[in-house]
Each structure stands twice: as C-alpha cells, then as structure tokens.
C-alpha cells in the first residue's frame, strides 16, 4: 500500500490545513459518508502524531501517514490524493496495489 499526493493536493494542505515543514498528516477511516471501497465509511484527514504508522510518505518535508489500525479500510489499495478544481476540494481515489 502506498500514499500518492499530487502537487495541487499538497498546495491545498499548505493553504487549507496550514501544513508546513515538519507537520504530520494522518488519513484515517471514519464511520459515515461513502467510499468506493468501504460501505458506510469514508476517509478522514487530520494533523496528528504517528503512533504505529504502517504507511508513510514524506512529501516536501510534510509526512503523510496511515496508522496500522486503519489499514483495513484500504483493503489492498493505494491511496491517491488529488485536487478537484471544479469542486475546490480534495479528491481521493483508490487503485489496487
């Protein structure tokens, strides 16, 4: 499993979440919403400190990670984070790893 962050998405994290060098951003499973890979769950994102990270990506000195306890959500998929210009929001897609 891998995390992929587009340059436009990184810009969003810097502007909207005020992410800067040394920050750590966690992707996690949350109950509610919708997802193409998990019914009744969606992907959440927050600044956090890693406890037991299973996947990490260091992109321009910002660490993106997924904890071991949230691995089940991805069911063998890589996470792709991009920015949608039309909706002005992050967009998540999943590809089999």
């Amino acid at each position: 499993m891998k995390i992929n962050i587009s340059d436009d998405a990184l810009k969003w994290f810097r502007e909207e979440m005020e992410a800067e060098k040394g920050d750590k951003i966690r992707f996690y499973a949350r109950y509610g919403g919708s997802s193409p890979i998990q019914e009744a769950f969606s992907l959440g994102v927050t600044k956090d400190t890693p406890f037991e990270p299973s996947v990490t990506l260091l992109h321009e000195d910002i660490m993106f990670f997924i904890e071991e306890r949230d691995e089940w959500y991805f069911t063998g998929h890589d996470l792709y984070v991009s920015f949608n210009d039309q909706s002005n929001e992050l967009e998540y897609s999943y590809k089999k790893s």
Side-chain angles (χ1 to χ4, degrees):
M1 177 173 41
K2 295 186 290 186
I3 301 170
N4 300 279
I5 308 286
S6 73
D7 290 339
D8 287 346
L10 181 64
K11 181 179 176 188
W12 184 93
F13 283 107
R14 290 187 184 280
E15 292 174 359
E16 299 298 323
M17 291 186 71
E18 299 179 356
E20 53 190 38
K21 183 179 179 176
D23 280 345
K24 295 159 183 68
I25 297 177
R26 177 181 165 209
F27 295 104
Y28 64 95
R30 64 181 188 167
Y31 185 70
S34 66
S35 161
I37 58 173
Q38 293 293 342
E39 190 173 323
F41 288 88
S42 60
L43 192 62
V45 61
T46 188
K47 285 185 181 177
D48 202 354
T49 301
F51 177 67
E52 292 180 325
S54 64
V55 180
T56 62
L57 169 69
L58 189 61
H59 191 9
E60 293 192 23
D61 295 322
I62 299 172
M63 176 194 268
F64 296 89
F65 69 99
I66 298 165
E67 290 283 355
E68 284 182 15
R69 67 180 176 261
D70 292 313
E71 245 184 78
W72 64 269
Y73 175 86
F74 298 92
T75 62
H77 291 82
D78 292 335
L79 171 63
Y80 289 79
V81 184
S82 57
F83 180 76
N84 184 315
D85 290 325
Q86 293 177 345
S87 66
N88 205 32
E89 294 180 353
L90 289 180
E91 194 168 79
Y92 304 114
S93 59
Y94 308 88
K95 296 179 184 171
K96 282 278 190 187
S97 47

